[in-house]
Amino acid sequence: GIGANAVYTGLATTPSMFEFCRADMCDGAVMVSASHLPEDKNGLKFFTKDGGFTGIDIDRLIDGAASQARMWHGIGVLPPSSGTGAVDCSEHVDFMPHYCRTLKNAMIDEVCAGVPECDTSDVPLPLGGLRVVLNAGNGAGYFFADLLRELGADVSSSIGLNPDGTFPSGVPNPERRSMIDETTRLCEESDADVGVMFDTDADRSGFVLPRTVRPDGTRSNYEPLHRNRLIALLGVIFSDSSPGCTFVTDSVTSEGLADFLEYDLGLNHVRYLKGYANVIGRARELTATGKVNAEVAIETSGHCAMRENGYLDDGTYTAVKVLGLLARVSRANAEEVADAEEKKKAPPPASLLELISDLTEMGEETELRMNVLDGTLDTTRSIFERMAAKVEEACAGKHPAGAAAAVPGWTLDEEN
C-alpha cells in the first residue's frame, strides 16, 4: 500500500470531525471520546465526508481490521512503523478555527433569516446586547464561549470553560437535573437571556429560558428547554423556513408534541426507533425518496441533526438555530416595544417559551434505567423483549385473557 498520514487535532468536538472531512481538510476522521463511557474507557467515532459511520460501517471496519491482523500474524511480521505502508502520526494541526468560522457564518445567516433589510456582510455583532450563560461542563464545547463573545454576546457568567476530563461538576449532560439547576441559578443571578448547555463532546445541547420577560427587559421564572420543548421550538423555526417539512423523532416523544407539530405548525411528524443513529438514518432514507423533506432528525436526549447541516448531530449548530431565533425575536421586540410606547399599546410577548405555549405537556414524566447484572447485550436484549411483551399484554385489546385482564386506562401506541 501507499501508507497513510494521520494528524492530531488536539481537543476538538465530535461534530467538528465531520466538518474537517467535508471541507477536504482530511479524508477521514476518528474522534477519541469518553462520551458516556466509564472514565477508564474511551470510544471511537469514525467520519468521512459522507458523515458518521453507521453500525454496519463499524462492523465492516472491524472485520477488515481483523482480516488484516490475521494476515500480518500469519506471515509472522508486524505492520511497518515507518516507510511505505506505515501510518505516520507525527503532525499536530489546529483545524478548530475553521470549524468556528463555519458556526460564526451560520449564526450571522440565522440572525438575518427572513429579514430582507438585513445585510449579512454588515452584521459584525449579531448577538450584541444578549446575555448568554454557557455551561460547557468542562467538556469540548468550551470554545463556544469565545465564538459568542466575538459575535457580541455577554458571556461573563458562563461556567465550565476549562476542559477537564475528571468533570468536577459531574459528567455534563443537558438532561441532568444538577446541570440544569446550576445553569438556571447563573441565569437568575445574571438576568440572562438564555442558558446554553453542552454534553462532553458538544454533540448534544439543552437550554434554559425565562418564562417572564418584563417591558423593562428584566427576566425571571427560568425553565429548561429540552426534550419535547426543544423539538417544539425547532418546529417553530422550521415551520417558517421550510413549511410542511418533516421532523423525525425517537419513539418517546409525547402525543402533545405530535399534535403541536402537525396541527399547530402544519409539519409532518415521524416517530422512529429510539437512538439518534436510528433517527438520523430514517431521516436520510425519507429524504432520499424525493417525496419527503426531512429537515430535522432529533432525539429527546438532545441529539439533533439537520438536513441543511449534512444530518450531523451537532449541539453547537442546534444552539446556533436557537440563539439566532432569540436574536431575531429580541430585535423585533425592541422595535415593537418602542412603537408600543409611542402609541401607548401593550408590548409584544418577549419570551421564546411563549412561541410554544400551545404545546400540551405531560403531567408526569419519569425515565427508568435498569442495569443488567451481567452487562451483556444479549441479556439486555432478551430482558427488554420480555418486558416489552408483558407491557403490551397489559394494554387493552392485547391481553391474552381478554380486555378485563388489562390494566385500566392502558392502550398501546401502535405507531411505536
Side-chain angles (χ1 to χ4, degrees):
I2 59 174
N5 180 44
V7 296
Y8 293 112
T9 65
L11 187 60
T13 66
T14 294
S16 70
M17 307 306 281
F18 177 39
E19 173 58 31
F20 302 157
C21 293
R22 66 183 176 185
D24 292 327
M25 304 173 81
C26 57
D27 296 298
V30 182
M31 179 69 178
V32 182
S33 170
S35 193
H36 311 293
L37 298 173
E39 63 181 36
D40 62 331
K41 291 182 173 62
N42 280 321
L44 301 177
K45 299 179 180 180
F46 300 86
F47 296 88
T48 67
K49 64 180 180 181
D50 296 322
F53 275 22
T54 64
I56 294 175
D57 295 327
I58 295 293
D59 288 341
R60 289 173 178 167
L61 178 66
I62 292 173
D63 289 343
S67 176
Q68 289 290 315
R70 284 192 296 269
M71 181 193 71
W72 287 110
H73 183 269
I75 60 178
V77 298
L78 294 174
S81 58
S82 61
T84 302
V87 176
D88 179 13
C89 302
S90 59
E91 185 181 355
H92 288 257
V93 297
D94 184 9
F95 289 163
M96 282 299 288
H98 164 80
Y99 180 59
C100 290
R101 284 192 296 272
T102 66
L103 291 174
K104 184 175 181 179
N105 292 335
M107 184 74 79
I108 293 173
D109 289 342
E110 280 299 311
V111 173
C112 284
V115 185
E117 68 275 14
C118 185
D119 183 359
T120 58
S121 64
D122 190 34
V123 189
L125 299 176
L127 301 183
L130 294 183
R131 284 188 291 274
V132 181
V133 169
L134 172 64
N135 188 344
N138 302 107
Y142 72 98
F143 76 94
F144 203 64
D146 289 335
L147 184 147
L148 295 177
R149 189 181 297 108
E150 291 175 9
L151 292 171
D154 177 356
V155 293
S156 58
S157 296
S158 297
I159 193 173
L161 304 184
N162 298 314
D164 185 344
T166 66
F167 302 119
S169 297
V171 177
N173 179 350
E175 293 184 283
R176 185 164 54 86
R177 187 72 250 175
S178 59
M179 189 175 197
I180 294 172
D181 289 345
E182 183 179 45
T183 307
T184 299
R185 176 181 60 80
L186 292 168
C187 286
E188 291 171 342
E189 292 176 355
S190 61
D191 194 33
D193 293 276
V194 62
V196 181
M197 300 170 287
F198 293 139
D199 69 345
T200 52
D201 51 353
D203 59 3
R204 290 195 297 144
S205 58
F207 306 85
V208 171
L209 288 170
R211 169 66 66 180
T212 304
V213 181
R214 302 178 184 84
D216 64 359
T218 57
R219 302 158 190 83
S220 61
N221 302 320
Y222 288 87
E223 301 176 15
L225 177 81
H226 61 353
R227 299 178 181 171
N228 291 304
R229 284 184 171 188
L230 175 57
I231 300 172
L233 188 66
L234 291 173
V236 171
I237 295 173
F238 279 91
S239 67
D240 182 58
S241 63
S242 185
C245 69
T246 294
F247 268 51
V248 180
T249 72
D250 56 352
S251 60
V252 297
T253 48
S254 69
E255 291 298 320
L257 175 67
D259 290 343
F260 181 75
L261 293 176
E262 294 177 346
Y263 301 125
D264 290 78
L265 300 180
L267 304 178
N268 298 308
H269 180 207
V270 175
R271 286 190 177 114
Y272 198 59
L273 298 174
K274 187 173 176 62
Y276 68 91
N278 296 325
V279 173
I280 294 172
R282 182 58 175 160
R284 286 182 179 275
E285 291 173 0
L286 291 172
T287 298
T289 66
K291 301 178 181 179
V292 174
N293 178 22
E295 289 281 12
V296 178
I298 182 168
E299 192 183 37
T300 47
S301 65
H303 279 288
C304 180
M306 304 177 197
R307 185 186 61 81
E308 66 189 47
N309 194 35
Y311 287 123
L312 171 69
D313 57 315
D314 187 345
T316 55
Y317 196 84
T318 304
V320 164
K321 302 296 285 192
V322 173
L323 292 173
L325 174 64
L326 177 62
R328 294 197 304 274
V329 169
S330 297
R331 180 176 57 201
N333 282 342
E335 295 171 355
E336 291 184 34
V337 166
D339 183 62
E341 291 177 347
E342 181 179 343
K343 298 180 180 179
K344 297 183 179 181
K345 299 188 302 182
S351 172
L352 292 189
L353 291 176
E354 294 188 34
L355 298 178
I356 57 172
S357 59
D358 290 333
L359 171 67
T360 300
E361 302 196 57
M362 292 184 290
E364 183 177 351
E365 181 180 352
T366 302
E367 182 178 85
L368 300 176
R369 296 200 177 198
M370 293 166 279
N371 295 322
V372 177
L373 295 180
D374 68 4
T376 65
L377 289 177
D378 287 341
T379 301
T380 301
R381 185 180 299 109
S382 173
I383 291 177
F384 177 81
E385 290 174 350
R386 280 184 282 170
M387 290 177 64
K390 287 295 184 182
V391 170
E392 184 173 349
E393 286 181 7
C395 295
K398 298 291 182 178
H399 201 286
V407 176
W410 281 31
T411 57
L412 186 66
D413 184 349
E414 298 284 355
E415 186 179 352
N416 291 298

